[in-house]
Every structure is written in structure tokens, then in C-alpha cells.
Amino acid sequence: MNAASDPGPALLEVRGLSKSFGTLRALQEVDFTLRHGEIHALLGENGAGKSTLIKAVTGVFPRDAGIVRLGGAEVAPRSAKAAVDAGIATVYQEVNLLQNLSVAQNLYLGRQPTRFGLVREAEMRRRATELLAEFDLHIDVAEPLGNYSVAVQHIAAIARAVDQSARVLILDEPTASLDRHEVEILFAVMRKLAARGIGVIFVTHFLDQVYEICDRITVLRNGRLIGERTTAELPRIELIRMMLGRELAETTSERAAAQARQVGEICARFEDYGKAGYVAPFNLALRRGEVVGLAGLLGSGRSETARLVFGAERADSGSAAVEGRPVRLQSPRDAVAHGFGYCPEERKTDGIIADLTVRENIVLALQAKRGLSKPLSRAEQDEIAMRFIRMLDIRPPEPERPIGLLSGGNQQKVLLARWLATAPRLLVLDEPTRGIDVGAHAEIIRLIRELCDNGLALLVISSELDEIVTYSDRVIVLRDRSHIDELEGEAVDVSNILAAIAAGTTGAEAGQA
Amino acid sequence: MRLPPVAITAIVFVVGFALCTVQFPNFASTRVAANLLTDNAFLGIVATGMTFVIISGGIDLSVGSVIGFTTVFVALAIERLGVPPLVAFAAILLLCAAFGAAMGAIIHVFDMPPFIVTLAGMFLARGASFLMSTESTPITAPLYSTVSDFALRLPGGGRLTAIALIMLAVVAAGAVLLHFTRFGANVYALGGSRATTALMGIPVGSMTVRIYMLSSVLAGLAGIVFSFYTAAGYSLSAVGVELDSIAAVVIGGTLLTGGQGSVVGTLLGVLIQGLIQTYINFDGTLSSWWTKIVTGILLFAFIALQQAMLGIARRAGPRKAGVLKS
């Protein structure tokens, strides 16, 4: 803990690290410094570059530029194993141990004590028991690892890493699936390791945990380093601003254009709609020609709200009405029948079907809505595909090209086209600009505005606050899986959203339950 | 936790043997038991290799063809070329090692499904043996008669033959390798999760190569044993043995998806198949195809059992929290 005030020699130094995936610049000249015996939070929203930074440092991805020094000596591991050998170990949220092996085998796999080529099982178990005892964990190490809770598995993974002489321990979202008591145990382990001089990098999105245990904080956004501060000197609202906001001046001018719009009558209304342990009940009215933005930190319940609205999760309380008539949204199929569309966050896995052509991807939802008994003729399909390719300016304008070969921005447009072809009344967009280069980014935003002017109701989720402010007529702010505030008209600006999110974030753990 | 499937296999074997004894009083003799081992020696050897492959999460469809290829290769080398048998054995085992290593390397480097790669290996080996000879070639080398004359006499008239002893030695060595070495632990690890095993610093590529090498070498050894058993080399021998050995492994309690299993279970799986065959021979009126039918039913029953046990394990709900003191 005292490492914060003592600028000792750096344990791990990252300088000018860059990494691109195709045209997407995932990391741009990022610097990062970890000192001996400190717990250092690495923060940022989805897509900020946290995982990319970790994977580039540990050799999972090759890096494009930059150097990494460990204890003053340059290291360039080519694989996770090489990184461990160099002294940098990573424990991921998904425990990377083997459920089918015993705890002892997991701790010593590949380095079991042997005699005449045979594993000394008793000796291995004795050592495993002792090793875990150092972490106050007293379990039967002969049992398969899968029989134990995730917290125990995390500690086993940390014990394995530390026992392999790790000097730097990276914990990637280790607390996401732990309850409060288990978090305490993990923190005790982290403090113990820091006291031994090990540098711990803690990636998380629970800000309370950051303030509880971390000495310093590094924030990334859009692949760039935003800043490095000591925890004690960084107020919470300032931290959230670093994670979400850009400079306020940039956005105000664009905002003016959004003011003048006329909004129509309510087309979908949700009252006390919610699901226990998923999203607290909320009221939401969506009007024709209106964009409603959902703002909040990662894990605050934005995507969960979208999934409830679209019927991908079933609500267990409240009621929904479309055009004034009560409806039941039991499945996405119901939602589509009522004229809803949904572009999910994970475009690659949940959205596009990479091997199908642009035309086939566009007509998919329309065909599903009509039912298999009324197939669209090829001529109709061609006509629809060309209409949307022209309307949304999809490039290259070739309907027969497999969608997997298009850029991220154009894939997103095809997904929009898919839903627009069904002539929806409400479209839900989850992070529509994620992973899209800057030019396409502006175009998607322009499209959102246009769709809205044509009388569509839009519910949009984005981590980019200035983006939300640009196109939203109303913004709903979420925290800890509940809707906590609603901003309208003049009140929609970045600083108000930040203030709403930051206002007493004391209950962040509630989100874990 | 790992015991039950094997225990069930053992119970099935004991109950089956008891039922046979009730019907045919002569059944419970060392002679029947010893013949069971001799007749299934080659299957026991090849199934031991298959156990490693399946526990590691793979499959090896080439083993039957490798056995066929081996018998033809050995017969032609000894009879046509006059190569001393032991030299021919060494040569074929080296060739098999190279063949298995190549399959393992292709599976790893090109990230191809083992099913496809070893299916190609199966066609390749079978085709190559036809290329060498399409006829059955009798082997008359003195070593062959020496080996088939050798046997440990058991009380009660049973003869524990050389090939039965080889099989038991392979099973014993396989059990030690699988259960008591780092190599064996890595095999289980691979079957648990390939990606995780790699992240834990295990050389996944060389492990894959060595596992398929082991399987092919044991298939080659099984081929040599098969040539002792039939005293001939024939390109059509051991057709479908890859499936018999997979069946033996699964009946022996090994999870077809990998990560769990044992060599002893596999031996029991082999013996159960042999038991059915022996029963049919004793009966005299049944078609020998009943072996396949009963094996099929058993296979189905065991896979259903595994799924049921997995389901129960999942439904068991919250896992042990462990004793935590903080």
C-alpha cells in the first residue's frame, strides 16, 4: 500500500506499445508502468484495449511496435508459456486450469516431482497442500478441481502462477463471478503477494474494488492511454470521466442539430418491466422518431435492458404494450412479430453469418418474419439487397460477396439493412460503432439520425458518451443493473451523465449478485 | 470419482462370466480364460493405444489398416525378401512410428480434426497393403513356430501363450504410463482442454505427435501379434478393428470426449467383447454376428450411462466451496 507514495524502480515498463487488427488500431503507443509490490488497476470500457494490452505484453499476440522491460531487461515473449518463464503470469476470468484433473495435478502439471520417470503422487500432494496453505486455503488436493468453487479455482490458478516464480501477476476480471466473501479472500491473497514485492495488475470494472485495493490506476480508452494516477488523488467522477468522456467542447455544436426534431406518439411502452437478478424493474416509453440512449458503465445493465426489450430474456415482472395494446414478449420471435429489431453487441458471433453473402444476410430477418411457406423470390431478394446497398452505401456494392470479407463498418450496415428490410417500428442497437474505423463511425451516426427522422423509434447503447449525446433525444442512465436517471432535452450532456453515474457508486457489488 | 465407470465394466464382465458358467459348466476354466486373452491379444494391444488417443480428446481410425499393413509387410519381408523376423519387426515399428508422428503433426500443425486425418491414414495404409499384395501370404519362419509353441501352462489345462503375455505386458506398461507419469497427466490435460493445456505451458504439439505415434506403434505391434496368431500376412486382415477397439475403450469407461478413462477399463472392454464371442462359440447355433449386436447394445448402454452421470453431476448444483479461512 505504501508503494503509492514511493516511486521506486519500475518492475514492468511498457513503452510505445501499438497493435492493429486490420484497419482497426487496437492500441496506439500505450505506456504502462508497474512498480514492485503495488496493485495497479487497468481500467477502461469494452474495446478500450485492456485485453489487447495484456495479450500483447504476454506474447499471446505479436505486437506491432513498442518495448516491454521487466526489471530493467527487455523481454519479448512469443507465447503465454514464454511470458510465464520470464516471470509474467496471467489469471483470466475463465479459470485456465483443467476441471478434470486433481487440484494437485493442476498446480504441478508439467513440473510434477518425479522419481525414475514416475510422478511422486504423495510428494506432489504434500507440496500442493503446503502451497495452498500459504493462501489460507485448506482443501483436499486429490479431488478434481471441478468439484470446487470458482473462487478456489482462482486461488489455485494464482498459486500455480506465483509458484512458478512470477514477478508480475495479471488478474483479468478475477472477481466478476465471485461473491463478496470470496472477493475478500482474493483481496487478502493479492495484498499478501504485493507485500512480497510482486507487482499485481488488476483488470476490473468494479470501481469500488479499485478504490478498495489498488495503489494506482491506469485508464485506457479507444486503444489510447488516457492517464495514470494514484488512487488517492483521483476522485471517482474524474475517473469515470477518464473512462467515458471526451472533451466537452467537441460535442456541444453537434448536439444543437438534435434539438429541433419533432417526436411522434408512443409506439412501445414498458411498465415495471424487469427480471430478478438481471435488471431491476424499469419504465420505458419509446416514441416514433426518437432516439433513446442507454448510458452507464460496463455491467450496469445496458445490454440486459436491450435483451429484455427484445425478448431474448424473459421478464418476470411488469407489462409491455405496443401501439397501446398489451403484448407478451417471450422470445425474439415475438419481438420481431411486433416490429422490433435488434443489432447485438457481438457483431461477429451474434449478428452476421460470415459465410453467407450480403444479400442472404440482408433478407434473413425478413424471410424469418414471413415464414418459410412464403419464400422471397430471387428477384425480390436482389431488389431488396440492392435497395439497401444503395441506401446505406454499403461497400463494395456487391450483393453476392460473403459478408465476412467486408469491413466492420459495412458489416454493421448490412445488419442495419437486415432489420430495416422488415420495416420495424423499433430498432435496438447495442454498441453500433464498436470496432469501426473513424470514417464509418460518423456515417453510422448519421444513419441513426436519418432513420429516426423517418419515424423509426431507436434504443441505442453506447460506451461513447459524446456519441450518445450527439444523437439521443433522451438518455437513460443505468447503474448497478437499474435505471437511475433520465435526462431530456437541454439536460442531455456528458457532464450530467457522468454526474448521474458517479453519484454515490457505493453499491457496485450489487451488480454481481 | 473416477472409479464408477470402470467398476460397472468390471461388474458387467463378472456377471457375464457367471451367466456363461451357469449355462456351460465347462466355461469356468483356465483354458477358456487363457484363450480369451490369446484370441483378443491384438485387440487388447491396439485398444491400449486407442485409450491414450481418446483420453487426449482425439480418435485414431487408422489402426485397423495399420494392423493389416503390418501383417502384409512382415510376411513379405520374411518370406519373399528373407529378412530376419526381428529385423522386419524393428523396421515395421519404425515405419509405424513415422506414420503416427506424421498424422499427429498434421493434426496439430494444420489444426485438422483427428477424425479426418486418421480416416485418410486408414485409406492410405489399407491401400498400401493391397499395393504390396492382394493374397494371403503364409509365414513359415522358425521363429513363428517357436513363438506359437511357447506357453505358460496353467493348472487346469490353460495355456498362457506368448502373445497373451505380450498383451498383458502392454496393458501393464500402458497403465503405468497413463496413470503414473507426466506424459500420462498431459494426456488427461489435453482431453480436458487443449487451449488451457497450451496456456499452462505444456508442449501441445509434441504431445499430439507422441500420442498418435504411440497409437500407431501399438497398432504395428498388434499387427505383429496378429501375424503370430494367424501365421500369415493378408491385406484384408483386421478390417473394422478400429471400431472394435473404440468400442472396447468406451465400454471400458473412457469418456469419448476425452479427459477421463483408464487402461484397465479398456482391457475389461476387450474381454467383454471376447466373452460374447466365446459364448457364441460354446452355444454353437448362434450366428457370430451376435457379437456385433451385443457389443452395439453395450456401447449404447455405456454412452447413455456416461451422459446420465454427467447430467447428475451437473444437476448436483453448487460445487464445494472448500474450507476457506481468512
Side-chain angles (χ1 to χ4, degrees):
Chain A
M1 283 283 151
N2 55 9
S5 52
D6 167 28
L11 172 60
L12 181 76
E13 270 186 287
V14 176
R15 290 290 170 266
L17 195 70
S18 295
K19 173 73 191 169
S20 297
F21 297 101
T23 57
L24 180 71
R25 305 186 68 183
L27 280 183
Q28 297 181 49
E29 300 189 4
V30 169
D31 294 345
F32 179 80
T33 307
L34 179 72
R35 295 181 194 145
H36 289 275
E38 78 168 346
I39 300 174
H40 193 134
L42 181 59
L43 303 179
E45 287 287 272
N46 262 342
K50 294 169 296 182
S51 299
T52 312
L53 175 61
I54 288 171
K55 287 181 171 161
V57 167
T58 55
V60 176
F61 298 149
R63 47 191 192 242
D64 299 342
I67 54 169
V68 177
R69 275 192 292 265
L70 180 64
E74 198 172 329
V75 290
R78 296 238 185 97
S79 67
K81 167 149 171 54
V84 169
D85 291 344
I88 306 173
T90 313
V91 175
Y92 294 96
Q93 178 182 353
E94 297 293 322
V95 180
N96 273 304
L97 292 179
L98 296 151
Q99 308 284 324
N100 61 324
L101 297 189
S102 72
V103 175
Q105 285 281 14
N106 268 298
L107 290 174
Y108 291 102
L109 191 71
R111 54 199 190 97
Q112 299 98 327
T114 57
R115 181 183 288 150
F116 311 123
L118 301 185
V119 172
R120 299 167 63 195
E121 186 76 30
E123 170 69 8
M124 183 172 77
R125 285 182 191 171
R126 189 186 62 74
R127 286 194 204 173
T129 308
E130 277 179 16
L131 176 62
L132 292 181
E134 282 181 42
F135 296 96
D136 294 318
L137 187 59
H138 305 275
I139 57 172
D140 179 3
V141 296
E143 287 252 359
L145 183 80
N147 288 3
Y148 291 105
S149 69
V150 180
V152 169
Q153 297 187 23
H154 269 297
I155 293 172
I158 292 170
R160 178 182 163 94
V162 171
D163 196 49
Q164 287 173 297
S165 70
R167 299 159 71 190
V168 174
L169 181 65
I170 303 172
L171 301 174
D172 191 352
E173 297 273 6
T175 55
S177 48
L178 304 187
D179 64 30
R180 185 64 226 175
H181 174 63
E182 293 171 324
V183 169
E184 292 293 343
I185 293 164
L186 187 68
F187 281 1
V189 168
M190 285 164 66
R191 290 197 182 99
K192 192 172 276 187
L193 294 173
R196 278 200 219 167
I198 292 173
V200 180
I201 301 174
F202 182 42
V203 180
T204 186
H205 60 264
F206 297 117
L207 298 190
D208 285 348
Q209 296 182 356
V210 170
Y211 280 95
E212 186 178 342
I213 193 164
C214 294
D215 303 307
R216 287 194 303 151
I217 296 171
T218 292
V219 177
L220 301 181
R221 183 151 46 81
N222 292 329
R224 291 174 194 273
L225 173 68
I226 299 303
E228 185 205 273
R229 306 285 163 80
T230 56
T231 311
E233 291 163 10
L234 182 63
R236 199 175 286 250
I237 185 159
E238 185 57 32
L239 171 60
I240 296 172
R241 189 192 305 279
M242 286 169 77
M243 290 169 68
L244 296 184
R246 224 174 278 170
E247 293 310 313
L248 300 181
E250 283 180 36
T251 58
T252 39
S253 57
E254 289 189 48
R255 174 71 196 151
Q259 302 299 321
R261 268 208 308 273
Q262 291 286 318
V263 295
E265 70 276 29
I266 292 172
C267 69
R269 182 195 285 279
F270 298 86
E271 274 173 0
D272 289 326
Y273 214 62
K275 179 176 178 175
Y278 195 67
V279 184
F282 57 86
N283 291 314
L284 180 63
L286 299 160
R287 298 186 185 85
R288 261 185 245 289
E290 182 190 42
V291 181
V292 175
L294 293 179
L297 291 170
L298 194 65
S300 59
R302 296 171 305 183
S303 298
E304 288 80 358
T305 300
R307 290 176 60 82
L308 273 184
V309 165
F310 192 62
E313 286 289 333
R314 284 188 197 185
D316 59 9
S317 70
S319 60
V322 174
E323 307 292 353
R325 283 194 309 277
V327 295
R328 288 164 68 80
L329 300 169
Q330 302 275 21
S331 67
R333 207 186 149 85
D334 292 347
V336 171
H338 291 300
F340 293 7
Y342 176 46
C343 296
E345 182 176 10
E346 297 297 330
R347 192 169 60 233
K348 288 240 155 54
T349 53
D350 299 344
I352 64 164
I353 300 173
D355 295 332
L356 294 188
T357 64
V358 170
R359 169 180 57 82
E360 288 164 326
N361 268 287
I362 288 177
V363 300
L364 208 60
L366 180 58
Q367 183 64 72
K369 193 179 180 187
R370 285 166 59 114
L372 288 177
S373 56
K374 286 182 257 171
L376 287 161
S377 73
R378 180 57 190 262
E380 284 174 295
Q381 292 186 21
D382 287 338
E383 192 273 319
I384 292 166
M386 279 320 293
R387 180 151 53 90
F388 284 104
I389 286 173
R390 250 178 271 127
M391 177 175 143
L392 305 181
D393 193 22
I394 294 167
R395 290 179 196 198
E398 296 165 18
E400 298 310 313
R401 180 176 276 253
I403 190 172
L405 302 180
L406 270 58
S407 71
N410 283 297
Q411 289 180 357
Q412 191 66 47
K413 288 186 195 168
V414 172
L415 282 185
L416 275 174
R418 175 190 293 172
W419 291 111
L420 293 177
T422 66
R425 54 167 60 92
L426 168 66
L427 201 49
V428 182
L429 307 177
D430 196 347
E431 298 284 4
T433 56
R434 161 82 36 82
I436 288 175
D437 55 53
V438 180
H441 198 276
E443 227 179 322
I444 297 278
I445 291 176
R446 183 182 55 78
L447 269 174
I448 289 174
R449 300 279 290 272
E450 276 182 19
L451 292 172
C452 192
D453 292 339
N454 294 335
L456 193 66
L458 283 161
L459 184 62
V460 185
I461 296 172
S462 177
S463 297
E464 306 265 347
L465 288 191
D466 49 343
E467 180 186 311
I468 280 214
V469 166
T470 308
Y471 50 63
S472 299
D473 299 292
R474 266 190 302 148
V475 173
I476 291 166
V477 181
L478 290 91
R479 196 183 63 215
D480 304 337
R481 295 175 185 258
S482 59
H483 295 212
I484 54 163
D485 207 349
E486 186 168 325
L487 306 169
E488 200 164 353
E490 292 297 322
V492 175
D493 74 27
V494 171
S495 54
N496 282 347
I497 296 174
L498 286 174
I501 295 174
T505 49
T506 43
E509 275 78 33
Q512 297 170 43
Chain B
M1 284 298 284
R2 202 181 289 167
L3 251 169
V6 185
I8 292 167
T9 312
I11 291 166
V12 168
F13 177 70
V14 170
V15 168
F17 203 92
L19 285 177
C20 292
T21 309
V22 170
Q23 196 171 352
F24 307 108
N26 293 340
F27 208 93
S29 68
T30 56
R31 185 171 300 185
V32 170
N35 286 347
L36 204 55
L37 293 175
T38 302
D39 295 340
N40 296 289
F42 75 100
L43 185 58
I45 293 169
V46 76
T48 300
M50 186 68 81
T51 309
F52 281 82
V53 175
I54 291 181
I55 291 177
S56 79
I59 196 92
D60 188 352
L61 298 179
S62 71
V63 292
S65 299
V66 170
I67 293 175
F69 179 87
T70 301
T71 63
V72 176
F73 180 94
V74 166
L76 292 183
I78 295 172
E79 296 301 319
R80 298 265 175 87
L81 305 176
V83 177
L86 291 177
V87 175
F89 295 163
I92 187 64
L93 291 181
L94 280 175
L95 195 60
C96 287
F99 182 71
M103 287 194 301
I106 291 169
I107 289 166
H108 175 70
V109 174
F110 299 107
D111 196 20
M112 281 170 72
F115 187 95
I116 297 299
V117 175
T118 59
L119 186 69
M122 168 176 129
F123 287 125
L124 190 72
R126 188 65 74 184
S129 50
F130 277 110
L131 213 55
M132 289 190 297
S133 165
T134 51
E135 291 156 25
S136 178
T137 313
I139 306 174
T140 55
L143 178 73
Y144 272 71
S145 44
T146 316
V147 167
S148 59
D149 288 345
F150 175 85
L152 293 179
R153 300 214 166 267
L154 300 174
R159 297 173 70 252
L160 205 51
T161 57
I163 60 174
L165 289 171
I166 293 174
M167 187 264 273
L168 291 176
V170 166
V171 169
V176 169
L177 184 63
L178 183 61
H179 301 298
F180 301 107
T181 66
R182 284 186 184 176
F183 178 85
N186 292 349
V187 170
Y188 283 103
L190 276 176
S193 161
R194 214 176 157 73
T196 301
T197 305
L199 279 177
M200 288 175 81
I202 303 303
V204 170
S206 95
M207 275 303 297
T208 306
V209 167
R210 286 192 281 167
I211 288 167
Y212 284 90
M213 215 161 104
L214 178 72
S215 176
S216 290
V217 166
L218 287 181
L221 185 62
I224 294 170
V225 164
F226 198 76
S227 75
F228 281 125
Y229 186 61
T230 58
Y234 184 33
S235 46
L236 268 178
S237 47
V239 169
V241 162
E242 60 280 346
L243 302 179
D244 290 338
S245 67
I246 292 169
V249 170
V250 172
I251 292 174
T254 294
L255 217 53
L256 200 49
T257 46
Q260 277 174 38
S262 68
V263 172
V264 175
T266 297
L267 176 64
L268 287 169
V270 168
L271 293 181
I272 287 174
Q273 288 188 53
L275 190 69
I276 302 163
Q277 184 65 51
T278 311
Y279 174 85
I280 287 161
N281 292 347
F282 263 72
D283 183 90
T285 61
L286 287 170
S287 157
S288 77
W289 290 105
W290 279 103
T291 314
K292 303 284 178 204
I293 293 169
V294 178
T295 305
I297 293 168
L298 276 180
L299 203 55
F300 177 77
F302 269 82
I303 289 181
L305 180 85
Q306 286 175 354
Q307 287 299 326
M309 286 177 56
L310 278 180
I312 291 166
R314 269 192 217 113
R315 226 171 299 141
R319 296 188 275 189
K320 286 185 197 175
V323 188
L324 288 164
K325 286 193 291 189
S326 54

